[in-house]
Amino acid sequence: MATEKFITIESSAIPLPIENVDTDQIIPARFLKATTRNGFGENLFRDWRYDKTNKKIDSFILNNSKYSGKILVGGKNFGSGSSREHAAWAIADYGFKVVVSSFFADIFKNNTLNNGLLPVQVTDNFLKKIFDAIEKDAQTKLHVDLVNQTITIKATGESEKFDINPYKKTCLINGYDDIDYLISLKDKIEAFEKKS
Amino acid sequence: MNKKTLFDKIWDSHVVAEVEGGPSVLYIDRHLIHEVTSPQAFAGLDKRGIKVARPSQTFATPDHNVPTIDQHLIIRDELSRTQVEKLTENCNRHSVNLFGLGHPWQGVVHVVGPELGITLPGSTMVCGDSHTSTHGAFGAVAFGVGTSEVEMVLATQCIMQPKPKKMLIEVNGKLGKGVTSKDIVLYIISKITASGGTGYFIEFAGSAIRGLSMEARMTICNMSIESGARGGLIAPDDTTFEYVKGREFAPKGADWDKAVTYWKTLKTDEGASFDKVFSFEAEDIEPMITYGTNPGMGCKISATLPTGNDLTDNDKNTFLKSFAYMGIEPNTKMLGRKVDYVFVGSCTNGRIEDFRSFAAFVKGKQKANNVVVWLVPGSKQVEKQCIAEGIDKQLAAAGFELRQPGCSACLAMNDDKVPEGKYAVATSNRNFEGRQGPGSRTFLASPLTAAAAALTGVITDPRNFL
Ligand code: SF4
């Protein structure tokens, strides 16, 4: 699906300083029975957010009104486990535009990019600085610039470069996705079919 | 001349275009879909206002969610029912081949593809399910994809993929009595670990692999991804051609002869290089069983479990957490442990050969009273063949019954759930926490080891009966 164009974002962030957050935690298997991409945000981190009686667990960060924003900051090895794309959908559906971590699982990273969600991989050191800044001020702002591939902590002015595949970057900036691109190759695909 | 591996040959011949700084545009010959990962892809097409580009190259069947009893009745779980209905509606609207519930060709996607001749040597194949690697047994490049990629294939018959690295795993020699292809693959994963294949596509070769039937080869390729690999494949040979010949969607007549001539060229050139090579001896492999919560945590059935003392602190924590979940102590034995459930089925071991060997094993004996046993054929055709061969009667005489086809307790999205804290010996492919139901505990093993547990109610070396 063509996604919203992505150039820069400035927002406060929600910190989740836990390592190895797997896709089963992001969206448990029992919520995979939906037939649309929408509504998964409701069950994002379901078993951390709600107890067995569906009561909100106050101590979980998403239930703490002090924190808000379009950027999710996770610990190392974020998104491991099952390849379910529903994990990326849940995060995007909840309202996040950017996920920051010091390491992402391969397939998860691919899935985020396919859904207009930007994975920003930073160094362990910079990740710690972000967590520290948020701890000092829950509403501290992060600035993400996709064109220049930088992420900046506004309060301190500290900044770091991040990597992104040039093809994927073009897709995000122009708000088009792989399918738009593939559709544009129609003639090439047909020629390929004739040849083989 | 440029020497190529089998994988290179198939991959390179399917590249439509290369994207600068990006992945390859890969043409997909055949596409399988099921009810869980396809609805959002169809919705995407609708939103763009486009149709499925090559409907005759996509094949659909419901499997993940379906009940395994009373399939002629309406599905009780509302969400499961909606997904199955959506699949039917989408396929009808887009003229996609559908083998729905009750259809004589319905079943687990990866069982259905090969038995209908949809899976062919030299082809590229994808499905929104990680165990698509199964089809590599035919010398195909087959792998699992996410829903966005399902949509890409529906829309254009292509996907965008970076080319993986290449690994060769050889298994040479003769397998011992009671040792099956499931034991080979559990052995390999226990050696290279559950992440040892990450970033690679594996070619399996060697005399022990060559000697296997197609069903047995599928079991190995099926589980190749449990090592983290993108997929696995085996060069096609006469065993492959014999299996494919005459199947519904396979080429016929002159097309067949032409196809076989081409398929015979599909092997790794002598001297072609791999990024990584492993070599194992068949004689070293025994019946295997897993004890932990990833498929790499497996051992010989007679072994004493590791202590974890050789691990780093971090890894040891994970190791002990896994033992705690399983309710197992390090340094103990697997043999003799009580079993509550036995599951035979799934795209790993739900084929006719698996039921033949299970039935032959339990013949003249009786099921243990303390175990619940779910025997779930991988497809309608497997079920039919079981009946035609009298396997259902043999099973009934020993106290077992066959259920109806579907994924069932492999991922427990339907009602076949192992209760919290209970132990299951399963012929499926994943032993993750909660995989067979919240709190369930899974020991992965071969159909023979499952049969031995079903007869004795405890983990038993199947060789005791042979
Ligand atoms: S049987 Fe299990 S592994 Fe195979 S397709 Fe079904 S859920 Fe996936």
Side-chain angles (χ1 to χ4, degrees):
Chain A
M1 222 157 314
T3 48
E4 222 175 286
K5 294 186 187 192
F6 191 119
I7 294 164
T8 61
I9 264 199
E10 191 165 308
S11 166
S12 51
I14 300 187
L16 197 65
I18 302 171
E19 290 191 3
N20 304 316
V21 173
D22 66 59
T23 51
D24 262 286
Q25 309 310 322
I26 297 174
I27 181 91
R30 60 184 190 280
F31 299 112
L32 305 185
K33 290 190 182 187
T35 51
T36 66
R37 282 177 195 241
N38 308 329
F40 287 101
E42 232 172 89
N43 296 314
L44 174 66
F45 295 116
R46 179 75 201 195
D47 294 340
W48 289 350
R49 246 163 101 194
Y50 298 93
D51 66 12
K52 279 190 179 151
T53 64
N54 287 330
K55 217 174 109 292
K56 279 191 178 173
I57 300 170
D58 289 335
S59 57
F60 186 60
I61 197 91
L62 292 188
N63 295 328
N64 187 338
S65 57
K66 231 171 82 186
Y67 300 93
S68 63
K70 293 183 173 149
I71 302 175
L72 178 65
V73 188
K76 194 181 191 142
N77 197 21
F78 193 87
S80 57
S82 141
S83 64
R84 62 188 64 151
E85 196 164 315
H86 309 67
W89 298 341
I91 294 173
D93 187 60
Y94 189 87
F96 291 111
K97 298 273 179 236
V98 178
V99 191
V100 181
S101 171
S102 58
F103 187 82
F104 290 100
D106 253 4
I107 299 182
F108 175 77
K109 195 172 185 177
N110 206 19
N111 286 342
T112 55
L113 286 164
N114 278 335
N115 288 282
L117 189 64
L118 177 67
V120 172
Q121 189 161 325
V122 296
T123 58
D124 286 322
N125 189 22
F126 197 75
L127 187 67
K128 193 176 171 297
K129 283 186 182 161
I130 296 176
F131 282 135
D132 289 349
I134 303 174
E135 201 178 315
K136 262 199 209 123
D137 170 11
Q139 284 299 318
T140 197
K141 297 256 187 302
L142 300 177
H143 183 89
V144 178
D145 178 339
L146 178 56
V147 178
N148 295 309
Q149 298 177 219
T150 55
I151 176 165
T152 310
I153 304 170
K154 292 290 280 183
T156 62
E158 283 170 293
S159 186
E160 198 172 86
K161 274 253 188 204
F162 61 86
D163 270 344
I164 180 166
N165 177 295
Y167 163 77
K168 284 289 178 191
K169 178 175 169 180
T170 319
C171 284
L172 280 176
I173 289 176
N174 294 304
Y176 58 63
D177 61 11
D178 285 349
I179 301 181
D180 299 319
Y181 174 75
L182 287 172
I183 289 174
S184 77
L185 294 183
K186 192 165 175 277
D187 294 345
K188 266 200 172 162
I189 297 172
E190 278 170 10
F192 176 88
E193 286 175 322
K194 281 212 189 80
K195 187 182 82 195
S196 33
Chain B
M1 207 182 64
N2 197 356
K3 299 198 192 324
K4 287 186 162 194
T5 66
L6 168 62
F7 175 76
D8 289 326
K9 288 182 185 178
I10 303 173
W11 179 280
D12 296 351
S13 69
H14 285 81
V15 173
V16 174
E18 299 280 3
V19 180
E20 226 190 290
S24 316
V25 175
L26 196 70
Y27 190 81
I28 302 303
D29 295 315
R30 287 183 170 177
H31 181 208
L32 301 171
I33 59 173
H34 60 83
E35 77 280 21
V36 176
T37 55
S38 70
Q40 292 88 353
F42 279 106
L45 294 191
D46 293 342
K47 212 166 173 187
R48 288 170 203 271
I50 56 176
K51 288 295 222 184
V52 172
R54 306 285 182 270
S56 65
Q57 286 166 253
T58 292
F59 300 82
T61 190
D63 57 2
H64 281 60
N65 253 333
V66 303
T68 55
I69 43 167
D70 294 334
Q71 283 185 349
H72 61 290
L73 300 179
I74 203 158
I75 302 176
R76 274 180 303 154
D77 181 296
E78 197 191 319
L79 294 171
S80 300
R81 190 173 67 240
T82 311
Q83 281 193 328
V84 172
E85 286 171 357
K86 257 272 172 299
L87 183 70
T88 308
E89 184 202 308
N90 284 328
C91 290
N92 289 342
R93 215 154 36 85
H94 288 270
S95 314
V96 165
N97 307 287
L98 167 71
F99 318 133
L101 267 194
H103 190 288
W105 295 343
Q106 179 267 336
V108 178
V109 269
H110 311 311
V111 176
V112 169
E115 71 187 7
L116 289 177
I118 294 169
T119 310
L120 297 175
S123 63
T124 48
M125 205 162 172
V126 297
C127 172
D129 181 279
S130 47
H131 292 91
T132 310
S133 57
T134 311
H135 310 272
F138 292 79
V141 166
F143 52 91
V145 293
T147 298
S148 289
E149 283 137 338
V150 171
E151 190 179 335
M152 288 177 211
V153 182
L154 291 176
T156 67
Q157 209 56 38
C158 291
I159 59 167
M160 316 226 14
Q161 282 290 305
K163 191 176 179 180
K165 289 183 284 184
K166 289 157 291 182
M167 180 185 286
L168 175 68
I169 297 184
E170 280 187 320
V171 187
N172 285 303
K174 234 179 127 274
L175 286 176
K177 195 177 62 167
V179 183
T180 69
S181 70
K182 180 63 161 284
D183 302 304
I184 299 181
V185 72
L186 285 174
Y187 178 82
I188 292 173
I189 304 169
S190 79
K191 293 290 176 196
I192 73 172
T193 81
S195 60
T198 305
Y200 292 91
F201 215 96
I202 304 174
E203 178 175 345
F204 295 98
S207 57
I209 304 285
R210 284 274 137 247
L212 297 173
S213 68
M214 284 318 293
E215 281 88 349
R217 292 180 190 184
M218 284 188 247
T219 303
I220 293 192
C221 290
N222 172 278
M223 285 199 73
S224 58
I225 60 140
E226 301 305 337
S227 71
R230 204 75 183 87
L233 83 176
I234 296 172
D237 56 14
D238 288 340
T239 308
T240 322
F241 309 145
E242 221 163 277
Y243 181 100
V244 176
K245 193 168 186 181
R247 294 195 182 253
E248 207 59 38
F249 294 93
K252 309 262 151 55
D255 287 346
W256 170 261
D257 297 334
K258 210 176 120 200
V260 173
T261 310
Y262 167 58
W263 295 343
K264 285 188 172 159
T265 67
L266 293 175
K267 43 167 109 25
T268 293
D269 295 332
E270 201 144 335
S273 74
F274 288 87
D275 301 288
K276 207 165 199 171
V277 178
F278 288 99
S279 188
F280 300 106
E281 296 303 321
E283 282 80 7
D284 293 339
I285 307 175
E286 275 181 32
M288 298 284 294
I289 193 153
T290 64
Y291 52 84
T293 53
N294 75 56
M297 298 177 82
C299 64
K300 292 178 179 169
I301 196 162
S302 59
T304 302
L305 296 178
T307 56
N309 289 341
D310 51 336
L311 301 174
T312 61
D313 282 358
N314 230 342
D315 291 350
K316 188 165 181 186
N317 277 341
T318 314
F319 174 84
L320 291 177
K321 190 172 153 267
S322 176
F323 271 69
Y325 179 85
M326 293 299 289
I328 284 180
E329 298 289 325
N331 208 18
T332 57
K333 291 239 177 207
M334 289 301 285
L335 285 176
R337 264 172 216 285
K338 197 173 146 274
V339 171
D340 308 295
Y341 285 74
V342 168
F343 169 57
V344 178
S346 88
C347 56
T348 314
N349 283 117
R351 297 188 178 77
I352 185 66
E353 244 184 29
D354 302 310
F355 292 95
R356 275 186 201 136
S357 67
F358 186 96
F361 193 97
V362 301
K363 198 171 165 198
K365 305 185 183 71
Q366 279 301 311
K367 178 178 104 54
N369 285 328
N370 66 311
V371 274
V372 175
V373 180
W374 291 324
L375 305 179
V376 185
S379 71
K380 274 302 223 201
Q381 296 212 69
V382 171
E383 181 186 37
K384 194 172 146 203
Q385 208 166 341
C386 282
I387 295 167
E389 293 180 17
I391 289 174
D392 59 331
K393 299 227 168 59
Q394 280 176 42
L395 291 171
F400 300 97
E401 59 171 356
L402 274 184
R403 294 173 80 89
Q404 291 172 306
C407 294
S408 178
C410 173
L411 91 166
M413 260 184 104
N414 70 351
D415 289 339
D416 307 341
K417 290 182 174 55
V418 174
E420 186 169 348
K422 297 290 183 192
Y423 290 100
V425 171
T427 67
S428 44
N429 43 53
R430 281 183 174 153
N431 51 353
F432 295 163
E433 288 187 17
R435 172 78 177 182
Q436 295 196 281
S440 62
R441 293 156 159 174
T442 303
F443 302 130
L444 299 175
S446 76
L448 294 183
T449 302
L455 292 176
T456 58
V458 294
I459 293 178
T460 304
D461 191 329
R463 291 171 299 184
N464 296 352
F465 288 92
L466 297 170

